[in-house]
Amino acid sequence: QVQLVESGGGFVRPGGSLRLSCLVSGSSIRFITMGWYRQAPGKQRELVASITGVPITNYGDSVKGRFTISRDNAKNTVYLQMNSLKPEDTAVYYCHSLQWGLASWGQGTQVTVSS
């Protein structure tokens, strides 16, 4: 079973940057579609970015041009580089994997953007 552990969240001022990491165990990320989702209070969980094994990347409209998803196959880790952060990016960010129709979620990491 795939297990995901996120890290890298925290507090940042508007315009700042953070990099989230998702360490994957139980399978090689070469064969998994990985994604980052986020959920703000009172809102539905939404896709932030995803990356396939090819890799092909996909981004939510609100983060295009600011966030970049990448992976390091040797470290079996997926990253989310977040630049030009805005208060509306405040949310719990979750790492997600999808392999053979089975989905796994990390425990989430809080990102707070505030002045």
Side-chain angles (χ1 to χ4, degrees), residues 1-53:
Q1 184 176 355
V2 175
Q3 294 184 325
L4 312 173
V5 179
E6 303 103 332
S7 61
F11 178 91
V12 65
R13 302 293 187 189
S17 299
L18 283 174
R19 188 178 79 159
L20 305 183
S21 300
C22 176
L23 177 63
V24 181
S25 60
S27 184
S28 171
I29 61 173
R30 291 183 179 88
F31 311 118
I32 304 174
T33 295
M34 299 295 304
W36 288 95
Y37 286 74
R38 68 186 182 187
Q39 188 166 20
K43 294 187 177 181
Q44 289 188 330
R45 193 170 295 189
E46 63 175 355
L47 174 70
V48 176
S50 64
I51 184 167
T52 70

Side-chain angles (χ1 to χ4, degrees), residues 45-100:
R45 193 170 295 189
E46 63 175 355
L47 174 70
V48 176
S50 64
I51 184 167
T52 70
V54 177
I56 297 173
T57 57
N58 182 48
Y59 295 92
D61 289 341
S62 62
V63 306
K64 286 180 180 177
R66 300 189 297 123
F67 291 11
T68 303
I69 189 170
S70 63
R71 66 181 194 201
D72 185 330
N73 291 339
K75 295 181 179 180
N76 224 38
T77 299
V78 177
Y79 302 98
L80 183 69
Q81 178 66 43
M82 305 185 293
N83 298 327
S84 301
L85 282 160
K86 304 175 182 180
E88 51 263 44
D89 295 318
T90 296
V92 178
Y93 284 70
Y94 297 91
C95 185
H96 174 268
S97 69
L98 184 64
Q99 184 181 38
W100 306 117

